[in-house]
Amino acid sequence: MPYLDDEPRKKKKPESRRDIALDKFEMSSESAPRKVKKSDKISGRRNQNPFVKFAVAAFPQADDPPSEKFRKAFLLMAVAVLIGALMFLGWQIFSIAKGDKLNNELANIAGNPINNNGSYRQPDHIANPDANIATSAGTEEPEFIDLTPVVNTPLNINFDELIKRNPDTRGWICITDTMINNVIVQSTDNNYYLNHDFNGNESISGTVFSSYLNKWDGTDDNTILFGHNMSNGQFFAYVMHYVPNDKSREPIAFYKVHPTVMMATPDGGSETYKIFAGMICNTQEQYGEVFDYITKTKFENAADFNNYILDVMDRSWFFTDVDLKYGDELLTLSTCYWPLGKQVDTRWVILARKVRPGESEYVDTSKAYRNYQAKLFDYYYDRINGTWSGSVWDRSKLLSY
């Protein structure tokens, strides 16, 4: 018999399918964290400070694809090269300006200030040389050129102060009415003063120096000087002006106006030298003959002197009215010149001889003329498709021959 308080048990009402679906959705949303997308990372980076943003954009990141890493690395390398080049260019400009300032300072100390009438500009035939200049005459009518030779004033150099500042001081070189107005120094080799100035500081301009083989005691038969061809006109830039300008019908006008060089020494006073030749010389054996002019400071005898002069005159790009004989003291000025491109390391060299005792320093420049058959070297002939036709210099000018 059933109890009175017993009631029929009610069946539990089943949950609706909608409730079950909602429960499952809530459980899955709590247990599975949302994945962070790459776009969200990038968005986060963009919200960082500018320096971090720059670093992310410029430097390779771990999650960058390989192509992006390569692009950034290449860009960084290019920037580094550019910065290095700008720094080197800045150093060059600073060094050249410093050398210019030092030159003017030394000229004032020496008592022979530099004559610089404004900014220097390289003549076009020097700034843009043409290999064919060696053998081809110009056709352009020349502008009016005053061919009156300059008048020299003897040098009176204050060597005491220069030697006090640098005991390597040997002399002073000057070509009137140009910026060649420099102290001459000498080291124990031909390298030190290529990249050191008068004060011993590193310098792209270097300074004018003599061969270490020169004695400077009055016994040198040939004093050999080296100087850089600087784009601002300093040091031996004006030596390049003796390269004939074959765009003009007065190709050796510069020589005709400046036919002499002056050199002073502490013990010998001021001397004048008459220029008689200008030649191009190869320095690399793979391009052909290397004419040895840098060691010829002494001549053993008349034959040695004569042979050297004949070799020089065969190579000279112009001939003058200056005669020569054994016993003459020579002066050689050498600088860089690249008509075949800088990969072919060549030099432009001018030679002069000292005015003899009792001789006038006057030179009849009207008798000077261009030589279009100068002897060159193998690679040069290959470039211009030419050959040497033989010696054409008037040997009667060599009095000891």
Side-chain angles (χ1 to χ4, degrees), residues 313-324:
M313 297 315 299
D314 283 344
R315 292 162 177 77
S316 182
W317 288 23
F318 56 85
F319 296 143
T320 74
D321 192 44
V322 178
D323 58 22
L324 298 116

Side-chain angles (χ1 to χ4, degrees), residues 260-291:
T260 56
V261 184
M262 290 187 294
M263 186 171 71
T265 58
D267 301 323
S270 177
E271 299 285 356
T272 301
Y273 293 75
K274 298 181 177 182
I275 295 170
F276 63 86
M279 60 183 179
I280 189 170
C281 294
N282 171 41
T283 67
Q284 299 167 290
E285 291 184 355
Q286 66 264 35
Y287 295 117
E289 178 207 38
V290 176
F291 180 63

Side-chain angles (χ1 to χ4, degrees), residues 277-280 291 306-319 371-376 381 388-395:
M279 60 183 179
I280 189 170
F291 180 63
N306 291 341
N307 288 334
Y308 182 71
I309 295 300
L310 291 174
D311 283 340
V312 166
M313 297 315 299
D314 283 344
R315 292 162 177 77
S316 182
W317 288 23
F318 56 85
F319 296 143
N371 175 27
Y372 291 102
Q373 301 179 58
K375 187 176 183 180
L376 305 170
Y381 284 122
W388 186 47
S389 59
S391 181
V392 294
W393 182 56
D394 179 4
R395 300 191 177 199

Side-chain angles (χ1 to χ4, degrees), residues 10-16 19-20:
K10 296 179 180 178
K11 293 183 179 179
K12 189 174 181 181
K13 189 178 180 180
E15 295 178 350
S16 68
D19 293 336
I20 294 172

